[in-house]
Amino acid sequence: MVICLGAGIFASFYVYYATGLFLGTILMAGGIATTALVAWTIARCSDHWQAKIYEEIAMQAYGPKMAKYTICMEVMCQLGFVVAYVVLLKTLLPHTLDQLTYKKLPIWISTSIQGQKVWAFVFCFTVILPMSVPRELSSARYSNMVCFIFAVYFSLTIILTCFFDKALVPSLSTNVLDAALDPQMPLFSGIVTCIPLIIFCVMYQQNVPQVYSEITNTSLPKMKQVLTWTTLIVSGVYSMAGFFGYVTWVNYTGISGLAQAQNILMAPYGSTWILIAQLAICAACILVSPLCMLPCKDAIEKLYYGVNGKLSDR
């Protein structure tokens, strides 16, 4: 389930910001439904060809040339996810530490350009590299579950803040009405801007073959159940975080800057619960980012050693 959760949870806020509650909900639902359909198709292909990775499906369906093309696309896709996690962490973590310590951090570990370079280096070489050693997704199941709990906590914190923080939301009905009828971008621009973000939010198809091959007593009915529950839970987490995040800040004078950052946790909440959510999301990004590296390793092995080739596990 955790393969669906990550930095994309923040993008859902921007979707509602750009298109409003009504159209934003339709776009999110359409993106989630499309992703679920593609994931189920890939699961069926995995079952039909007994494929354990994405590239093996391409090999069986289209031949060696398309398999190599798929490998290149897979690597670029997964590295793009890793870059997204790095970008989020190098800005959110120093921002959170500033609030936690009630003072500005030294410039070399602050939100400055120099500080962001330091955090990016630390994140890449002391976190992602050693945590990417496991060769199976199930090897990190406990850290994955912790990441999922953190993401759910984040979503619930946003919802409860919207309902109970009267300083931010004096009238919930007024804010909902304003958010529903007041998209911040023109219709066409909003849709064009949001579609890539929605794809990023819910793109987990590349991990489906590994998940299918590692579940106990592999079968299509069981995989269908896994995909159904995963998609429903994740879509709820994403949609609620974006929906209520936008409702909370729709009348905030600095909402354009907040949306530009595409990070709802950068908003001036002034709440201990939100501070905990910031720490939780930082931890979640640290835990989930190595999951992007396993498909990369498998893809590179196939590129250099052929479809049946594999590097040593040592």
Side-chain angles (χ1 to χ4, degrees):
M1 185 179 298
V2 75
I3 60 176
C4 308
L5 293 166
I9 195 170
F10 299 106
S12 61
F13 166 75
Y14 191 85
V15 171
Y16 288 102
Y17 164 84
T19 59
L21 297 183
F22 181 72
L23 182 57
T25 300
I26 293 176
L27 292 175
M28 288 291 291
I32 291 166
T34 302
T35 294
L37 176 61
V38 173
W40 174 239
T41 302
I42 294 171
R44 290 176 61 90
C45 292
S46 298
D47 179 74
H48 179 73
W49 283 304
Q50 294 300 301
K52 294 184 178 180
I53 61 173
Y54 206 74
E55 296 75 36
E56 291 177 356
I57 297 175
M59 179 67 182
Q60 295 290 338
Y62 301 107
K65 290 185 178 180
M66 185 57 68
K68 290 182 179 180
Y69 174 79
T70 303
I71 289 170
C72 296
M73 295 299 102
E74 174 82 4
V75 171
M76 287 191 289
C77 173
Q78 297 293 348
L79 291 180
F81 283 126
V82 174
V83 170
Y85 291 125
V86 172
V87 170
L88 172 64
L89 195 76
K90 72 186 179 68
T91 54
L92 182 59
L93 187 56
H95 172 77
T96 303
L97 293 177
D98 275 342
Q99 294 180 301
L100 189 63
T101 59
Y102 298 101
K103 61 181 181 180
K104 290 292 183 181
L105 296 173
I107 190 170
W108 62 278
I109 54 172
S110 67
T111 54
S112 65
I113 299 299
Q114 180 184 353
Q116 291 185 31
K117 290 180 180 179
V118 170
W119 284 113
F121 179 86
V122 170
F123 186 47
C124 289
F125 293 100
T126 66
V127 176
I128 295 180
L129 187 60
M131 291 184 66
S132 300
V133 173
R135 298 303 304 261
E136 296 183 351
L137 293 176
S138 58
S139 301
R141 56 186 177 276
Y142 297 115
S143 61
N144 296 348
M145 179 55 66
V146 172
C147 175
F148 169 69
I149 293 172
F150 286 163
V152 172
Y153 170 80
F154 162 77
S155 182
L156 290 177
T157 303
I158 298 294
I159 296 171
L160 293 176
T161 299
C162 180
F163 274 93
F164 298 108
D165 193 332
K166 296 304 180 181
L168 290 176
V169 188
S171 173
L172 180 60
S173 59
T174 300
N175 278 38
V176 169
L177 185 62
D178 291 342
L181 303 177
D182 187 25
Q184 303 294 322
M185 296 181 65
L187 179 62
F188 180 76
S189 299
I191 294 175
V192 170
T193 302
C194 290
I195 288 177
L197 294 176
I198 295 172
I199 294 173
F200 173 72
C201 276
V202 295
M203 187 175 182
Y204 62 87
Q205 305 95 315
Q206 67 277 5
N207 292 96
V208 169
Q210 287 97 325
V211 174
Y212 180 74
S213 65
E214 293 180 25
I215 61 176
T216 307
N217 299 324
T218 302
S219 65
L220 277 179
K222 189 169 185 178
M223 187 61 184
K224 185 176 182 179
Q225 186 179 19
V226 170
L227 289 176
T228 299
W229 281 106
T230 297
T231 304
L232 289 175
I233 294 174
V234 170
S235 62
V237 171
Y238 275 150
S239 299
M240 288 189 296
F243 186 98
F244 289 101
Y246 182 48
V247 169
T248 300
W249 296 100
V250 63
N251 293 319
Y252 174 55
T253 55
I255 191 173
S256 57
L258 179 61
Q260 186 176 4
Q262 294 185 13
N263 187 345
I264 190 63
L265 288 180
M266 301 295 283
Y269 283 98
S271 167
T272 302
W273 298 108
I274 293 294
L275 180 59
I276 296 173
Q278 291 175 338
L279 293 172
I281 287 297
C282 288
C285 289
I286 290 173
L287 293 173
V288 77
S289 55
L291 297 179
C292 299
M293 299 308 297
L294 176 58
C296 281
K297 291 190 295 183
D298 289 338
I300 293 172
E301 285 177 357
K302 299 303 177 183
L303 185 63
Y304 283 98
Y305 292 89
V307 175
N308 297 317
K310 189 173 183 180
L311 290 172
S312 170
D313 286 339
R314 291 177 295 176

